[in-house]
Amino acid sequence: MMKPPALRATYRLQFHRGFTFADAEALVPYFARLGISHLYASPITVAVPGSTHGYDVADPTRINPELGGAEGFERLARALDAHGMGVLLDIVPNHMAASSHNPFWMEMLERGPRAPAARLFDVDWQSGRLLLPVLGEPLAATLAAGALSLRADYDTGRFLVAYADHVFPLRPESVADLLDAAAGLRPGWAEMASAFRASSAASSTSLHKAHDALRSLDTAKRAALDTVLAEADLPAILEAQHWRLAWWRTAAHDLNYRRFFNITDLAGVRIEDPEAFELVHRLPLDLIRRGLVHGLRIDHVDGLLDPAGYCERLRQAVGVGIPIFLEKILEPGEALRPWPVDGTTGYERLNDINGLFVNPQGYAALEADLRARHLIAGTPAERLAAAKRRVLETSLAAEVERLVGLAREGLDADIKAGDLTEASIRQAVIALLTHCPVYRSYATHDAHDPSDQAIWDTIRARMDAVEDPLTSAAGRLLIERLNAPQHPSDREFRGRFQQLSGPVLAKGFEDTELYRYPVLLAVNEVGSSFEHVGRECNELHEISRQRAGNGTSDLIPLATHDTKRGPATRARLAALSFAPERWLAFLAQARPATDRLCPGEASPDALDRHFILQTLLSAWPISAERMRTYLTKALREAKRHTSWEQPDTAYEQAAIDLATRLIGAPQAVDFRDDLERLLTELEPAARIVGLAQMVLQHTLPGTPDLYQGTEFPDLSLVDPDNRRPVDWQARLSALEGAGDLPPGDTEYFGLLRELLGLRRHPGPLIHGDYRPLDIPPSPWRWFGFERCHGDHRLCVVVPMRVPWHAPLPATATLDMAETLDSRWNLMGGSCIQTSSHGISLPTSWPLLIAEKS
C-alpha cells in the first residue's frame, strides 16, 4: 500500500475524453515541482458517453474507459506516488444518470419496483408508473409522427422502445406476449416466451438466461421477429410498461422520482439504504484500501436524506487519516455541523477572501446608481424571496406538489373544520421553502438540535412578517410537524422538505439572482450574500483564529468548476469598488455607443446592457464566441426575458449582437478605446488585489486548492468558459523560466511557486496558530497576521483597500516592513528577507511574507 501523503495543496483537474489519465500522468512531474501534494480529480466513474464533467454517473462501480479505465488510473496513481503525491477523489452519492447507459436504471425500467436496482433510486412507486418526461412533444403527437419505434436489441437480449437517442426496455411480460404472438412463425419461441414470463417473478439470473436466449437467435429468426415487432400495437405496449413516456414540459408539474435540482436526467439515489451505500462506495473504498486514493470530496451532500448519518457511515468505512471534504455551501454566520469530516470545499473561504477586497462604500454607490435609474428594486431579501417563489412555482413545482401531498395527510381535521384550505396548505409549503435562511436543516428521523430549531424559528418569524394570516397559520402547523413529527407522513415531510430547501436556494440565488443583480459582479459568487458584500479585518481575523484553533484543513479555492468567475475576473471588479465614480463615468461614455448599436425595438434592456458592459470589463479581451456562449446562459439563468424552459431567442440574439458589435464592430472603436483606457487605469489596483488574494489563499488556515490553469491570472467566466483547454506547455515553460510570457503571468506564477514552497514542510502554515497583527492605519489599510508553530513563525501582510487616486508607491512595502519590524522584531531587519531565514520577494510585490525558524 502506498503511504498517504501529507495534505499541503490540491490541484483540481476536470477529466473527460479530451483530457485523460494519460494526459494527467504526463503532467505529474510539473505538479510535483510546483508544490502540489494532491491531484484533486473530478468524478472518474463511468458516465454518460461524452460527459465533460463526470457527474452524470452511469455506473459507480467502474472507472470510465473514456478516461483510460482502471489501468490508466492505476498508472496515474502510481506516478503520483513516485513523486510523493496523492489523489483527492470527487464522488457522487446523491444521484446517477437516468440514462440507457446506466445498467441499474435500465434494470429498474425493465423489472419495475421489484428489480434489485429499484432500491437504489428515490422513486415514488405508490403514485403509479415511473414518469419519463423525455419527449419533445406530447405522446399522442410523438406517436402520430412515427418518432417512437419498437425493436429488439440482440446485444442485450431486450425489446426496446426507441425515441431519438433514448431507449426504454419492455417488461418481461410484454416481451413474452410479443413472442407468444410470433410463436407460430418459429419453433421454440413459445418456450422463450415462457422463460421471459417466468422471469418477471423470479431472480435476475432467470431473466439473464431469457436475455441469452434472445441474443442467440440466428439471422433468419431475428428477421422474422423484427417483422412481428414492426406490426405490434405500440400504444397498447406503452400502456403496459413500468414506465410512461411524457412531454418534457410535464416534469415541472408531474414527476415521481427525486432528481438533482430540476435536471430530470439525473435521478436521486437512496444512499441511506445500506445496499445503495455499498454499491456507490464499492469502487472508492477499494481504491482507498489499495492506496490509490487518499481523500474524498463528497458532491451535493445537502441532497442526501441524512447527511449526518452518511458522514458517520463514510468515516467508519474509510477510517481515520483519510480527508473527507463536503461540497457544502455555508451562509454567512453558519457553521458546519460537527460531523466526522475535515471540512468543506471552501466556498465560504473564497467569499471571505473576496469580501476583504470589496469596498462597501463603493459598492453602495454602484447600487445607488442602479436604483436611481430604476434598474433594480427591492431589498436583497425581498428579491431572493421572489426568485425562490418563481423557481418553486415553475421548475420545481412537481417537488412542491409532492410536499403538499405529504402536508395534507396530517391536516385533514383542520381542513374539515374550516380552519385551513387546500390552497393555504400549498402556499404554506411554498412559504416555508421561500423563507428558509440557509440551504437546509439537518433533523434526523427522530431528532433535531438547537441549530435546526433556530432555522425553523427564523422561517416562522419571516412568514409572520410578510405572509397573509391564513398562510402563516398553515405554516405554523407545518413547522410544528417539523419540530415534533407524530406520524410517518410527518417524518417523510420533514425529510423531503430538507432535501428540497437546498435546491430552492441554489436555483433562486446562484442560478437566478446572481445573474440579475449586477451591482458589482465580483460579489455575485456561489455562497455569497448581497447583504454581506464586504469583510472587515476583525471579522476575518476572528474567523481565521477559530479555524486555526479547530485545526482545520478544509479547502481554500479562488476558483472551482462551479464558480461564476475566475480569480482575476473578480479581482478586476473588486478593484473597481475603490473608484465607483470612474465606472459611472465610463457608463455615461458608453451609453451613446450602446444606443447606436441597438437599433429598433429588438434590443436588450438597460439592466442587461449594464450586465454586458461589466462583463466585458471583467473578462477583456474576450472573443465574440465566448461572449455568445456566456450571454446565452446568463440571460436564461436570470429568467427576466428568456429562460431554459421558454427561450426567447430573438431577445437573446439582440443581446449577443450588441456584445459582438462592442467587441469587434468598426463603429465601436471609440467604445473599445474607452474600455481599454479604463482597464489601464484599473490594472495596478487589480494586480494588487489578485496577488494579495493568492497570498491569503495559501497562508490562511486551511489547504489551498488550485483550479486547473489558474497558475496564471484567470479571466474566465462561468462554465463552460472555465473548462476551456489549458495551455500546459506555457505552464511547463514558466516552470523552467523559459517562454515568452506576459509580465503579469510571470509575476503571478512566480509568487505562486514561492507560496507553495512555504508549504512543502510541516510548519506554521500547516500546523500553526493564528495571531492578528495590530497594524497602524494607512491609506491602503493593511491586513496582517502571524502563523506560529513552536519556534517557527511566519508573518503575512497585504494591502486590503487600494484607492486608485493614491497608487501604492514602490516604497510602501519597505515602509510597512520597517513599521512591522519595530513591532514584530523577529528578523533583525526588514521583513523581506533574502537570506536563508526567509523567502525572497521582489520589492515590486506589495506583499510582505517573512518567516523564521
Side-chain angles (χ1 to χ4, degrees), residues 130-332:
L130 176 63
L131 178 71
L132 300 177
V134 299
L135 303 179
E137 4 177 51
L139 177 59
T142 305
L143 283 166
L148 292 170
S149 62
L150 188 63
R151 62 180 176 84
D153 181 350
Y154 297 107
D155 291 330
T156 64
R158 287 180 168 131
F159 286 1
L160 306 172
V161 172
Y163 171 74
D165 57 350
H166 301 280
V167 293
F168 312 95
L170 300 192
R171 61 191 298 169
E173 298 92 331
S174 293
V175 176
D177 291 342
L178 288 164
L179 290 171
D180 276 339
L185 299 177
R186 289 287 188 278
W189 282 12
E191 291 80 0
M192 193 166 21
S194 297
F196 271 98
R197 185 167 283 108
S199 72
S200 64
S203 67
S204 297
T205 302
S206 63
L207 181 57
H208 292 329
K209 290 180 178 178
H211 287 160
D212 288 340
L214 196 58
R215 280 195 291 262
S216 67
L217 294 180
D218 60 29
T219 302
K221 291 178 180 179
R222 291 182 179 187
L225 186 54
D226 290 343
T227 300
V228 172
L229 297 181
E231 297 173 353
D233 185 352
L234 185 53
I237 290 172
L238 292 175
E239 284 297 316
Q241 303 316 304
H242 292 296
W243 41 264
R244 62 186 179 96
L245 303 181
W247 192 17
W248 69 269
R249 292 187 181 277
T250 64
H253 305 284
D254 186 13
L255 197 68
N256 56 356
Y257 65 90
R258 185 172 64 85
R259 54 186 171 167
F260 174 70
F261 290 16
N262 63 336
I263 303 174
T264 55
D265 291 339
L266 298 177
V269 170
R270 298 180 62 251
I271 205 68
E272 66 274 12
D273 181 277
E275 292 188 21
F277 183 93
E278 189 281 328
L279 180 92
V280 170
H281 295 85
R282 185 184 304 163
L283 176 62
L285 292 178
D286 177 64
L287 295 174
I288 289 171
R289 282 190 292 268
R290 294 170 59 199
L292 303 177
V293 165
H294 312 88
L296 297 175
R297 182 260 197 192
I298 312 304
D299 183 64
H300 192 44
V301 73
D302 277 348
L304 310 185
L305 180 64
D306 179 13
Y310 170 82
C311 292
E312 292 281 356
R313 182 181 295 175
L314 183 61
R315 176 54 72 194
Q316 291 175 4
V318 303
V320 297
I322 298 295
I324 299 174
F325 299 108
L326 305 179
E327 186 203 27
K328 162 64 192 162
I329 295 172
L330 298 169
E331 292 296 291

Side-chain angles (χ1 to χ4, degrees), residues 248-249 262 390 507 511 515 629-639 642-648 652 719-720:
W248 69 269
R249 292 187 181 277
N262 63 336
R390 173 165 180 167
K507 296 302 295 181
D511 294 344
Y515 291 93
T629 302
Y630 175 70
L631 271 183
T632 301
K633 178 172 183 172
L635 294 170
R636 291 183 181 183
E637 297 283 32
K639 306 173 186 65
T642 183
S643 67
W644 295 107
E645 294 84 2
Q646 294 182 308
D648 184 338
E652 293 170 6
D719 73 281

Side-chain angles (χ1 to χ4, degrees), residues 560-579:
T560 76
H561 61 287
D562 280 334
T563 44
K564 304 300 183 184
R565 285 162 190 85
T569 320
R570 281 196 310 274
R572 271 188 186 175
L573 295 170
L576 198 65
S577 69
F578 299 108

Side-chain angles (χ1 to χ4, degrees), residues 713-850:
D714 176 41
L715 294 170
S716 292
L717 301 168
V718 76
D719 73 281
D721 194 65
N722 64 2
R723 301 181 190 182
R724 289 169 291 144
V726 176
D727 184 350
W728 295 110
Q729 187 56 53
R731 284 149 182 82
L732 290 166
S733 296
L735 189 68
E736 300 296 340
D740 186 18
L741 294 175
D745 290 2
T746 301
E747 175 184 59
Y748 197 87
F749 187 85
L751 179 57
L752 173 63
R753 289 197 67 190
E754 295 280 11
L755 292 166
L756 288 171
L758 285 173
R759 305 183 63 87
R760 284 188 179 274
H761 305 288
L765 292 183
I766 309 295
H767 303 295
D769 61 10
Y770 182 94
R771 305 176 187 181
L773 289 175
D774 182 14
I775 301 176
S778 78
W780 306 283
R781 297 194 62 189
W782 298 86
F783 176 82
F785 54 90
E786 290 180 78
R787 302 291 309 280
C788 303
H789 179 64
D791 294 331
H792 193 176
R793 300 187 180 187
L794 186 139
C795 170
V796 177
V797 183
V798 298
M800 58 177 283
R801 295 285 187 263
V802 188
W804 286 24
H805 63 272
L808 195 67
T811 58
T813 303
L814 295 176
D815 291 343
M816 179 52 62
E818 293 171 1
T819 300
L820 283 175
D821 193 50
S822 66
R823 294 167 176 266
W824 201 44
N825 196 24
L826 283 179
M827 297 296 184
S830 170
C831 286
I832 296 180
Q833 295 292 299
T834 57
S835 71
S836 60
H837 297 290
I839 67 171
S840 174
L841 298 180
T843 56
S844 62
W845 285 345
L847 319 160
L848 301 174
I849 305 173

Side-chain angles (χ1 to χ4, degrees), residues 12 67 100 181 184 202 204 211 213 266 283 323 350 372 377 414 475 477 512 539 602 605 619 651 717 735 793 801 811:
R12 171 74 178 206
L67 310 182
S100 59
S204 297
H211 287 160
L266 298 177
L283 176 62
L350 184 156
D414 298 275
L477 289 175
T512 302
E539 180 182 1
D605 68 12
Y651 185 86
L717 301 168
L735 189 68
R793 300 187 180 187
R801 295 285 187 263
T811 58

Side-chain angles (χ1 to χ4, degrees), residues 119-137:
R119 68 187 305 159
L120 290 175
F121 298 101
D122 198 349
V123 178
D124 179 15
W125 288 104
Q126 293 182 344
S127 67
R129 295 186 293 151
L130 176 63
L131 178 71
L132 300 177
V134 299
L135 303 179
E137 4 177 51

